């Protein structure tokens, strides 16, 4: 063998070297043993592991991930830069696996530019409410996340769908059933996805409770009690204006109790009876109710009782009772720290269990679900139909409160939720 035969004509790059080395190894009959082929470039989807430094008696530390690379993430435009967008949604982008913020829409350009700089969003991808439709020409945006006052959801959904973008819309979906139907029709016509941001349906404790109920661990469901209350301040905010909010505590926080009664029981109510309280001497409640109390009856005999309030101290709780056990979420509907507990008679002892469930950011989970639905072309678990059904029931709740009579509801034409979240 002359020395020239050993010299490659051009220097081998790393990939060529690995290829020829594996070919050599294969021809020598020891492929896969002597020389393990290394990936040339690290894959963002490979989980990064660190060695455990604590004793085996300690709970192992968890390194989150794997995370999708920025190039492969679904781009989100956030519309409305208020408390929820700045406090929860944008920070949750950092915990998401499949999403990235790529555009902002706000009436306050200076604020939007500051936030764009913080999240690495291009200045050219900052829009206002009049230039919003130009999102159609922004290839970095696949999903529009609408985080505006409730009555604005419908128009911004319709315009976003016409711009050819998928829509993730905050709860409540809108302020009238007619607007919900308009949103669904616009998204169908534009062939884009519509998801309502019911974060509880992507939250690990809620998902564990759904699993328990479906597995029959509580026995036949009998009743449910829930409350979602908070004490409002500023009487001039949009939440206290009927035209922008659609109502008071019921569509804002009561909707969580209603939605959970439906997704936990997997049934639809056929009747609601409700009262509202609207104190005349409190300027906060000139236009909307301060509290709402509801009894909803379901075909199996299951009964849900729930309260919501804008003038009681923050209180969030849910308990569901079956023939064989009860389970509760405390604080149900909260952003953080939800705990599932259930009580059951075992060997003659009534025992309260609190399973250890890893906390996850509900907003990241919910947005990742939307991103995966876009990437895999699936219908979201909580589509527009789910928001429309809550709106129909909310309308019946107000009718009952107004007339003092129980109001009958017809069932939806088809199931309102799609199969379970992909991630669950
Ligand atoms: P917010 O008042 O803090 O923010 C609303 C944003 O809309 C602000 O940036 C405001 O400038 C903008 N806006 C545009 N037009 C407006 C108008 N005519 N009047 C008032 N504001 C206007 O409200 P928020 O708490 O961020 O709520 C926004 C949406 O998110 C609501 O639909 C609400 O129900 C929903 N929300 C959901 C959750 C959840 O846990 N999923 C929590 C809070 C709020």
């Amino acid at each position: 063998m002359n020395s020239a035969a050993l010299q490659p004509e051009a220097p081998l790059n790393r990939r060529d070297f690995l290829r020829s080395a594996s070919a050599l190894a294969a021809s020598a009959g020891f492929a896969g043993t002597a020389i393990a082929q290394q990936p040339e470039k690290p894959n963002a989807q490979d989980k990064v592991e660190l060695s455990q430094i604590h004793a085996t008696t300690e709970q192992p530390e968890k390194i989150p991930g794997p995370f999708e690379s920025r190039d492969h993430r679904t781009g989100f435009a956030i519309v409305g830069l208020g408390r929820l967008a700045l406090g929860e949604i944008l920070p949750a982008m950092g915990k998401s696996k499949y999403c990235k913020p790529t555009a902002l829409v706000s009436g306050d350009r200076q604020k939007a530019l500051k936030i764009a700089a913080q999240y690495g969003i291009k200045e050219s991808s900052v829009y206002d409410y009049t230039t919003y439709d130009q999102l159609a020409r922004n290839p970095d945006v696949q999903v529009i996340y609408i985080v505006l006052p409730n009555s604005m959801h419908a128009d911004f959904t319709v315009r976003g769908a016409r711009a050819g973008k998928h829509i993730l819309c905050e709860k409540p979906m809108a302020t009238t059933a007619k607007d919900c139907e308009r949103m669904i029709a616009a998204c169908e016509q534009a062939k884009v996805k519509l998801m309502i941001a019911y974060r509880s349906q992507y939250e690990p404790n809620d998902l564990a409770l759904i699993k328990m109920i479906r597995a029959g661990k509580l026995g036949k469901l009998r009743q449910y009690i829930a409350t979602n209350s908070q004490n409002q301040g500023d009487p001039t905010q949009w939440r206290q204006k009927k035209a922008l909010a659609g109502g008071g505590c019921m569509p804002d926080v009561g909707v969580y109790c209603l939605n959970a009664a439906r997704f936990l029981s997997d049934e639809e109510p056929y009747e609601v009876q409700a009262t509202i309280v609207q104190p005349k001497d409190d300027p906060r409640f000139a236009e909307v109710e301060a509290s709402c109390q509801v009894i909803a009856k379901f075909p199996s005999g299951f009964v849900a009782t729930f309260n919501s309030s804008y003038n009681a101290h923050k209180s969030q709780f849910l308990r569901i009772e079956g023939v064989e056990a009860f389970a509760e979420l405390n604080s149900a509907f909260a952003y953080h720290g939800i705990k599932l507990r259930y009580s059951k008679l075992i060997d003659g002892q009534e025992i309260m269990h609190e399973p250890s469930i890893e906390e996850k950011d509900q907003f990241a989970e919910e947005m990742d679900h939307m991103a995966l639905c876009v990437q895999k072309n699936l219908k979201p678990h909580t589509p527009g139909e789910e928001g429309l059904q809550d709106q129909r029931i909310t309308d019946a709740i107000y009718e009952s409160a107004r007339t003092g009579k129980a109001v009958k509801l017809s069932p939806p034409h088809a199931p309102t939720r799609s199969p379970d979240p992909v991630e669950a």
Side-chain angles (χ1 to χ4, degrees):
M1 196 187 284
N2 66 38
S3 62
L6 293 172
Q7 296 298 320
E9 281 176 13
L12 272 182
N13 65 24
R14 187 164 175 269
R15 184 194 287 146
D16 293 336
F17 170 76
L18 286 169
R19 248 194 230 127
S20 57
S22 351
L24 265 176
S27 66
F30 48 85
T33 53
I35 303 173
Q37 185 160 347
Q38 298 292 320
E40 184 189 45
K41 214 174 142 202
N43 183 350
Q45 289 198 328
D46 290 342
K47 189 165 163 63
V48 174
E49 298 284 2
L50 299 178
S51 62
Q52 296 291 332
I53 56 169
H54 294 126
T56 52
T57 49
E58 303 299 311
Q59 190 166 349
E61 291 157 329
K62 279 199 176 154
I63 303 297
F67 294 94
E68 188 56 271
S69 72
R70 230 190 117 72
D71 291 350
H72 291 97
R73 287 174 177 237
T74 299
F76 280 60
I78 310 297
V79 188
L81 300 179
R83 282 156 197 82
L84 187 68
L86 301 193
E88 300 296 331
I89 292 169
L90 281 162
M93 285 285 177
K95 295 180 197 152
S96 82
K97 292 179 182 171
Y98 309 113
C99 314
K100 60 181 172 188
T102 49
L104 299 174
V105 183
S106 168
D108 181 342
R109 187 159 177 87
Q110 284 317 308
K111 174 172 76 171
L113 287 175
K114 259 189 225 167
I115 297 161
Q118 288 164 12
Y119 284 92
I121 297 167
K122 295 179 206 157
E123 201 175 319
S124 57
S125 292
V126 172
Y127 303 83
D128 63 29
Y129 301 123
T130 56
T131 57
Y132 171 70
D133 309 85
Q134 293 172 13
L135 277 171
R137 296 199 293 274
N138 190 333
D140 296 339
V141 173
Q142 287 84 51
V143 175
I144 293 175
Y145 192 166
I146 297 171
V147 202
L148 290 166
N150 308 342
S151 69
M152 298 173 74
H153 294 180
D155 283 350
F156 278 81
T157 294
V158 172
R159 286 169 66 187
R162 285 189 187 143
K165 305 297 178 181
H166 303 287
I167 306 289
L168 174 58
C169 178
E170 260 311 324
K171 51 50 64 182
M173 181 173 176
T175 51
T176 64
K178 219 173 167 180
D179 269 354
C180 296
E181 283 160 359
R182 193 157 68 88
M183 293 159 78
I184 294 169
C187 290
E188 274 174 8
Q189 202 183 352
K191 297 192 170 41
V192 296
K193 298 179 194 304
L194 172 58
M195 171 171 156
I196 309 305
Y198 283 115
R199 60 181 165 79
S200 298
Q201 295 202 42
Y202 304 90
E203 191 280 321
N205 291 272
D206 286 80
L207 292 174
L209 179 52
I210 292 172
K211 234 175 167 178
M212 280 180 66
I213 292 170
R214 288 196 194 153
K217 303 272 185 211
L218 305 189
K220 189 173 165 52
L221 296 183
R222 293 292 193 215
Q223 50 189 21
Y224 160 103
I225 50 170
T227 186
N228 198 2
S229 298
Q230 59 191 45
N231 199 2
Q232 290 290 11
D234 180 10
T236 65
Q237 61 179 299
W238 67 262
R239 280 184 166 80
Q240 259 80 288
K241 306 282 170 219
K242 195 163 188 320
L244 281 164
C249 58
M250 177 54 220
D252 187 19
V253 290
V255 73
Y256 287 92
C257 305
L258 165 60
N259 192 252
R262 294 178 48 239
F263 73 70
L264 291 176
S265 66
D266 204 19
E267 283 196 273
E268 295 299 340
Y270 68 86
E271 185 188 290
V272 289
Q273 178 124 35
T275 57
I276 58 169
V277 179
Q278 193 169 347
K280 286 193 169 45
D281 57 349
D282 190 331
R284 295 176 298 172
F285 307 113
E287 297 185 24
V288 299
E289 78 279 3
S291 69
C292 180
Q293 300 74 29
V294 181
I295 300 172
K297 293 185 180 170
F298 293 73
S300 67
F302 175 68
V303 180
T305 307
F306 53 90
N307 297 336
S308 52
S309 171
Y310 261 177
N311 66 352
H313 186 65
K314 192 174 178 81
S315 164
Q316 300 178 300
F317 178 73
L318 170 170
R319 178 180 280 184
I320 186 158
E321 299 168 1
V323 175
E324 293 169 29
F326 75 80
E328 59 189 36
L329 294 175
N330 196 9
S331 299
F333 323 122
Y335 293 156
H336 304 285
I338 299 174
K339 290 275 177 222
L340 168 66
R341 291 169 12 126
Y342 62 97
S343 185
K344 199 175 171 101
L345 188 69
I346 296 175
D347 297 335
Q349 295 280 333
E350 186 71 25
I351 297 175
M352 199 77 183
H353 299 265
E354 189 174 307
S356 169
I357 295 172
E358 188 191 351
E359 176 160 329
K360 290 190 179 162
D361 187 301
Q362 299 166 54
F363 292 93
E365 295 295 301
E366 155 211 296
M367 291 189 293
D368 274 346
H369 177 72
M370 181 65 176
L372 280 180
C373 286
V374 169
Q375 291 172 17
K376 295 175 190 280
N377 193 23
L378 299 169
K379 185 162 180 166
H381 177 58
T382 50
E385 290 79 359
E386 178 75 345
L388 169 62
Q389 178 63 3
D390 276 343
Q391 184 61 49
R392 283 190 178 134
I393 300 168
T394 300
D395 290 346
I397 286 169
Y398 281 130
E399 187 186 334
S400 172
R402 196 176 58 249
T403 60
K405 296 196 172 116
V407 173
K408 297 274 182 218
L409 284 150
S410 47
H413 301 303
T416 60
R417 286 180 294 280
S418 305
D420 286 351
V422 182
E423 287 292 81

